[in-house]
Each structure stands twice: as C-alpha cells, then as structure tokens.
Amino acid sequence: MAGSSVTPTPLLKDELDIVIPTIRNLDFLEMWRPFFQPYHLIIVQDGDPSKTIKVPEGFDYELYNRNDINRILGPKASCISFKDSACRCFGYMVSKKKYIYTIDDDCFVAKDPSGKDINALEQHIKNLLCPSTPHFFNTLYDPYREGADFVRGYPFSMREGVPTAVSHGLWLNIPDYDAPTQLVKPRERNTRYVDAVMTIPKGTLFPMCGMNLAFDRELIGPAMYFGLMGDGQPIGRYDDMWAGWCIKVICDHLGLGVKTGLPYIWHSKASNPFVNLKKEYKGIYWQEEIIPFFQSATLPKDCTSVQQCYIELSKQVKDKLSKVDPYFTKLADAMVTWIEAWDELNPTGEGLAKLSISNGPAK
C-alpha cells in the first residue's frame, strides 16, 4: 500500500538479553531506545542496594541488587564481585536467553562516517550469526560480509568456518587504555572508524573489553566469568580481560570463534587514571606471568563442555599461578563456585525449577 511502512521485527527479539551493570540512574537508555526497547534488559545494580535506580519508562527489565544476589545464590554469592562492574556476570547467569549483549552505562550511540547512528546491537547479532575463521586468516577480513569473500589460496575445506561464540565491539572517543597510558596520553581520542570485522586467530590471546560485548550464551556462557575484582580484592579493571583469556583458550579448544571490530559505540567519559592505577597496578605486574600461562595452557580431549574446560582451567590456575600471589588460589576457588552456581541456575534435562528465581528481582 502506497505510503505505508512496516516496522521489521528486531533480530533475535525473544532470544537476547541486554545486561547492564550500574550504580546510577539509567538515563543513557533514552539514546538507545530505538535499538534496545524491543529487548529484555537485565540490570545488575552495584554498590548500595538501598539506593533506587531509575529506569526510563517503556523498557522491559528486571533489576537485581546485592541483596537479590545474596538471596538467590546464598553462600555461592561470594563468587560475584562487589563494587566493580564485574558484577555484570550475575546477569549472564540468571538470563534464560541464547544470546547476551552487555554494555556500560557511559556508552552512547556512535555515528558512522556518513553521520548515521550505529545500531551496535544489530551488528553484534550479525557477527554472532555468521561463522568465524580462526584456523586460517582471510586477508579481506570477514569473508562472510556483503561484498567480501575468501581470497585466492584460502583452503576450500575451511570455508565453512566455525560457530561464532563472541563478538567484541570497539569504541570511539575515549580509548580503552590502562592507567599509565591514560597518564601519558590524557587528551588522546580515538577518531578512527575502521570498517572491518575479523576473526582472532586460533592460539592468539586478546585484551577483551566488556563495555561493548556480545556472546552466544549457550556456546560459551559458563566461561564468561569476570573473576573476583573490586571490594576486598587486590585487583580491579582486569575482570573482562580475565574472562577474555579464559574464553579464548576454551574457544580454541572447542573449535569456536571470536570476532572483533565493528560495531563501535561512543565511550563518553574517561575514568580517573590515578584511581585506575590503584586498581590496576598489581594486574600490570602480574599480567607478565598470567599471559604466558594462558598462552601455554592446554585442555585435555575429554573436556568436551564449557564447564569441564573451565573447571580444568581453574585447576591449572591454582597449580601454576598461586605461586604468583595467594589471590589466585582464591580466584581459582571462585571459578569453581561460579560453575556450581551456574549449573544450579541453569540445570540441564528435566526439573528446570531446581533453583527458582521467579520470586525475586527488585523492581
């Protein structure tokens, strides 16, 4: 009919949750309304549970604070970080959807070079729904994108690719730098929009940033544990990187792919580099031993599920990294607790009401 328009159904509308960690009112959602409103939000409130977090009208959401986490997980709540954005992984655990998109509350809608608003969620979904190529690098980056293909010399036997477990997005404006780099480049801004998506090759680690990240919860969810960070811990701001190192080792073992590149979001404000340095300094020191550990980590063939892989990795963390600092013994134990809590909330087979959460989120 002339002049009529049909609004297309949003991609994966009933199969994706958006997880947001926060300590403040979520006014930033107004900017994201055209893209996020059709989806269910899981908001994980950090800090003081008595504080009321305001969510703009019209969004479908559930909100969990620390009291909810303690009530739902009981003693196992000890594995969920406090006063750190790592608390977001509780949202991954309580979700019942196949896919997760997580975003920080200081991330706004970016514009592409033509000035058009970027629908970051839609691009993440496209990344997750097409294969990855970790075993052989395609010099035209993602061969499944429109207008691209496999280049001459790419083995035909590998062109089917592997399932994509993780889509790692990037940021314009404030770069995701560590504190020392922030201090020496306080005015630096990322203005480079690179129109590319690539698969991170097998055997290669990467620094995963959790502020603009999507993943297939069914394929890799139990490994998306952001560790023990923040209040009471000797380290912060390594939560997403810890998860990134773990998921990459497991994805390589299980034959899954990780993509990075598009989409971009606009990172609106830089955090305080002096505060960040206090949180990071042990991590900056420890990572020189942590990264070689993950680079050499191997998993036995009989580890065929993400949970099995993660428990095995926790044993290796305890065995190899505890000599670096006693914190890693505590972290390894928390990794096991995380898997136990995940399996209680997400039982397989019959009797899915093993641990009900239906009576509980604050609203």
Side-chain angles (χ1 to χ4, degrees):
M1 184 174 170
S4 69
S5 62
V6 177
T7 303
T9 303
L11 290 168
L12 304 179
K13 177 182 178 297
D14 299 318
E15 298 178 70
L16 182 143
D17 280 333
I18 299 172
V19 174
I20 305 167
T22 193
I23 57 169
R24 59 181 64 87
N25 295 333
L26 295 180
D27 301 331
F28 92 114
L29 285 172
E30 287 295 352
M31 179 179 283
W32 287 101
R33 187 181 291 275
F35 307 129
F36 288 2
Q37 190 160 353
Y39 295 89
H40 180 67
L41 312 182
I42 298 177
I43 300 161
V44 184
Q45 177 181 344
D46 196 18
D48 182 0
S50 67
K51 181 180 177 181
T52 299
I53 299 290
K54 294 180 181 177
V55 181
E57 291 291 325
F59 286 93
D60 171 40
Y61 72 94
E62 51 193 312
L63 188 152
Y64 296 92
N65 61 33
R66 192 71 205 186
N67 292 339
D68 298 313
I69 294 171
N70 291 340
R71 177 178 47 76
I72 291 165
L73 295 185
K76 293 184 177 67
S78 62
C79 72
I80 304 297
S81 299
F82 187 52
K83 295 187 177 176
D84 192 277
S85 67
C87 67
R88 78 179 78 216
C89 59
F90 178 77
Y92 310 159
M93 185 186 283
V94 297
S95 170
K96 298 302 176 189
K97 304 290 178 61
K98 178 173 170 55
Y99 299 98
I100 294 286
Y101 175 50
T102 186
I103 184 171
D104 285 1
D105 61 13
D106 62 349
C107 293
F108 299 160
V109 177
K111 294 184 183 295
D112 68 18
S114 73
K116 181 182 176 183
D117 284 351
I118 297 169
N119 185 346
L121 181 53
E122 182 180 55
Q123 179 64 51
H124 274 298
I125 290 170
K126 289 178 179 177
N127 291 349
L128 290 170
L129 293 182
C130 76
S132 293
T133 54
H135 302 296
F136 203 86
F137 190 80
N138 191 58
T139 51
L140 279 179
Y141 306 118
D142 193 337
Y144 305 102
R145 284 189 72 188
E146 186 177 347
D149 211 328
F150 293 95
V151 297
R152 179 172 55 90
Y154 200 100
F156 283 87
S157 60
M158 294 184 176
R159 294 190 181 192
E160 186 178 335
V162 304
T164 300
V166 179
S167 171
H168 178 255
L170 300 175
W171 359 263
L172 294 171
N173 195 36
I174 305 296
D176 186 32
Y177 285 160
D178 53 36
T181 311
Q182 280 184 291
L183 287 166
V184 298
K185 295 183 173 182
R187 294 181 178 84
E188 183 159 309
R189 299 295 179 264
N190 182 34
T191 59
R192 293 175 60 233
Y193 178 98
V194 181
D195 186 15
V197 177
M198 68 179 76
T199 298
I200 300 173
K202 182 179 181 181
T204 301
L205 297 174
F206 74 111
M208 190 172 83
C209 172
M211 75 171 93
N212 175 27
L213 180 73
F215 59 93
D216 186 321
R217 186 175 171 278
E218 291 182 1
L219 287 180
I220 200 63
M224 271 293 179
Y225 176 46
F226 278 39
L228 273 182
M229 303 280 157
D231 196 48
Q233 309 305 329
I235 184 175
R237 285 174 55 83
Y238 271 81
D239 50 330
D240 42 10
M241 283 180 280
W242 179 263
W245 297 326
C246 291
I247 63 100
K248 190 57 169 61
V249 169
I250 293 172
C251 282
D252 286 352
H253 175 74
L254 295 178
L256 302 171
V258 178
K259 292 190 173 187
T260 187
L262 300 180
Y264 285 92
I265 50 85
W266 181 269
H267 187 203
S268 66
K269 64 178 185 286
S271 47
N272 186 307
F274 297 100
V275 173
N276 290 347
L277 185 60
K278 188 175 180 181
K279 295 177 180 178
E280 289 176 356
Y281 79 96
K282 286 193 174 181
I284 292 169
Y285 176 64
W286 289 341
Q287 71 186 9
E288 302 307 319
E289 294 192 58
I290 297 172
I291 292 171
F293 161 77
F294 281 106
Q295 286 174 323
S296 62
T298 57
L299 299 170
K301 287 183 178 180
D302 60 357
C303 286
T304 56
S305 71
V306 176
Q307 283 94 327
Q308 289 171 337
C309 291
Y310 203 70
I311 292 296
E312 172 60 29
L313 206 49
S314 74
K315 293 175 183 174
Q316 295 183 25
V317 166
K318 181 173 282 191
D319 183 48
K320 301 284 180 60
L321 291 180
S322 291
K323 69 180 188 300
V324 175
D325 192 272
Y327 163 74
F328 290 98
T329 300
K330 190 176 180 182
L331 177 55
D333 290 339
M335 292 168 72
V336 175
T337 302
W338 159 265
I339 291 295
E340 291 172 351
W342 181 283
D343 285 346
E344 283 192 359
L345 285 178
N346 301 278
T348 55
E350 296 182 2
L352 293 182
K354 185 176 178 183
L355 183 56
S356 173
I357 62 166
S358 61
N359 64 343
K363 197 72 184 273

